Amino acid sequence: MKRLKHLSLFVLLSALMVVMAACGSGNAKTEGNASKEAPKTEEKKELSGSLVISGSSAMQPLVAAAAEEFMAENPNVDIQVNAGGSGTGLSQVADGSVQIGNSDVFAEEKEGISADQLVDHKVAVVGMTAAVNPNVGIKDIKKADLIKVFTGKITNWKELGGKDQKIVLVNRPDSSGTRAVFNKFALDGATPAEGITEDSSNTVKKIISETEGAIGYLAFSYFTDSSVTPLAIDGIEPTAENVQSGKFPVWAYQHSYTKGEATGLAKAFLDFMMSEHIQNGLLQEQGYLPVTKMLVERDAKGNQKNI
């Protein structure tokens, strides 16, 4: 009987040890799995290097301001933003001398550019309209009359209900992306008559403001004071809302092209350009329209459709 008691106690202790070992094993396994499944914290890769951007003079203030903010956040990055015009930006990015080429027009619209090698990044929208000297006496013009003014068929403002003043045309050079956009969407492709030709929008604004009877064209971002008068076209005011809805006809994308898909520092900067901070902040402060708020879109042929 005593022997039986010892045997039972031995069996009980053995069973208890087996149970405890199993629990310990289970805990170890659980802890091992937890260790394996715990997410690893990835360190943010610090950006460094240099980036050269060239092209559209209209885009330069925006891109330069964005570059300053980007470099402030990434002190080991150096970005150089040059102007030179849309054609220059497209040519230089195509031949690999810059990483990003800025343009007011689609690459397909520029002769001599291998557009199929370039990737388009639409980073902003710019609205444009005709601008006149404030003493001209009109604030609205029919599109048909605007075409007649720029082609020299109407030569005095009194023919349009304005003052008895000779019309003075102020144009941009043939290489200008702003001119290409205005000719295409405001003048329906008509060739402007000879007039004063200036390469800088700031200079165009100054000439219009100081010359009686003058008319030219500017991006919305230049209408910051009353020195020139922006014209409504066919009764539609040149406003951001009217461009975004597709009612106002004279607008264009601001393109940043890369040769092939954007990579490395170029991709990081273009992602920054499309961030909410830039699209809803800096970009609008600079007088541009966020591409993310457009309700219509256009292709390289000018065909427009609702998004």
Side-chain angles (χ1 to χ4, degrees):
M1 187 70 176
K2 190 174 179 180
R3 185 180 176 185
L4 186 59
K5 273 185 179 181
H6 283 300
L7 184 59
S8 298
L9 184 59
F10 175 78
V11 171
L12 184 61
L13 287 172
S14 298
L16 184 59
M17 288 176 68
V18 169
V19 171
M20 288 177 69
C23 290
S25 174
N27 288 340
K29 185 176 181 181
T30 301
E31 288 173 4
N33 286 342
S35 177
K36 289 180 182 178
E37 293 172 4
K40 293 181 180 179
T41 304
E42 293 186 5
E43 292 184 9
K44 185 179 178 182
K45 187 176 180 181
E46 188 174 341
L47 293 173
S48 63
S50 60
L51 190 63
V52 182
I53 303 170
S54 74
S56 165
S57 58
M59 289 179 68
Q60 188 184 26
L62 168 65
V63 178
E68 287 294 330
E69 292 198 14
F70 189 81
M71 288 188 289
E73 293 183 11
N74 302 278
N76 292 324
V77 170
D78 178 67
I79 302 177
Q80 182 179 338
V81 183
N82 302 321
S86 298
T88 298
L90 291 170
S91 297
Q92 290 184 339
V93 75
D95 67 25
S97 57
V98 302
Q99 289 84 28
I100 296 175
N102 293 328
S103 175
D104 299 325
V105 297
F106 284 90
E108 291 89 335
E109 297 179 75
K110 283 286 185 182
E111 291 184 10
I113 300 296
S114 300
D116 58 340
Q117 296 180 11
L118 303 180
V119 176
D120 186 8
H121 308 271
K122 301 177 183 72
V123 297
V125 167
V126 59
M128 303 175 192
T129 194
V132 297
N133 182 282
N135 296 325
V136 159
I138 69 168
K139 294 183 178 180
D140 189 1
I141 191 169
K142 293 179 180 178
K143 192 176 186 182
D145 288 335
L146 184 64
I147 295 171
K148 290 177 182 177
V149 166
F150 271 92
T151 54
K153 293 177 182 177
I154 293 178
T155 59
N156 194 300
W157 288 112
K158 69 180 180 180
E159 298 178 59
L160 298 175
K163 288 190 177 181
D164 184 3
Q165 289 179 343
K166 180 183 176 182
I167 294 173
V168 178
L169 299 179
V170 185
N171 274 309
R172 297 289 300 278
D174 290 336
S175 60
S176 165
T178 301
R179 174 175 174 143
V181 171
F182 187 79
N183 286 7
K184 186 171 185 175
F185 297 111
L187 305 183
D188 290 343
T191 302
E194 290 296 322
I196 299 170
T197 301
E198 287 293 341
D199 191 41
S200 163
S201 290
N202 280 317
T203 306
V204 168
K205 180 179 178 180
K206 187 174 187 294
I207 291 173
I208 294 170
S209 69
E210 296 175 351
T211 307
E212 293 293 321
I215 181 172
Y217 41 88
L218 294 164
F220 290 1
S221 55
Y222 287 89
F223 299 120
T224 56
D225 52 43
S226 59
S227 63
V228 298
T229 300
L231 294 186
I233 298 177
D234 290 330
I236 302 173
E237 294 293 331
T239 65
E241 293 74 19
N242 285 338
V243 168
Q244 288 163 351
S245 67
K247 292 178 181 177
F248 192 80
V250 193
W251 64 271
Y253 292 111
Q254 300 289 264
H255 309 261
S256 288
Y257 279 95
T258 55
K259 189 173 185 179
E261 293 295 337
T263 58
L265 197 53
K267 183 179 187 307
F269 180 69
L270 290 171
D271 287 344
F272 181 70
M273 289 292 295
M274 293 304 295
S275 68
E276 184 176 346
H277 169 66
I278 297 298
Q279 289 289 310
N280 296 329
L282 177 66
L283 188 145
Q284 294 181 61
E285 291 168 11
Q286 291 274 337
Y288 297 88
L289 312 182
V291 70
T292 52
K293 291 186 178 180
M294 291 297 290
L295 303 177
V296 294
E297 64 181 7
R298 273 184 180 153
D299 60 22
K301 295 181 179 179
N303 299 315
Q304 181 172 293
K305 66 178 182 180
N306 295 331
I307 298 176

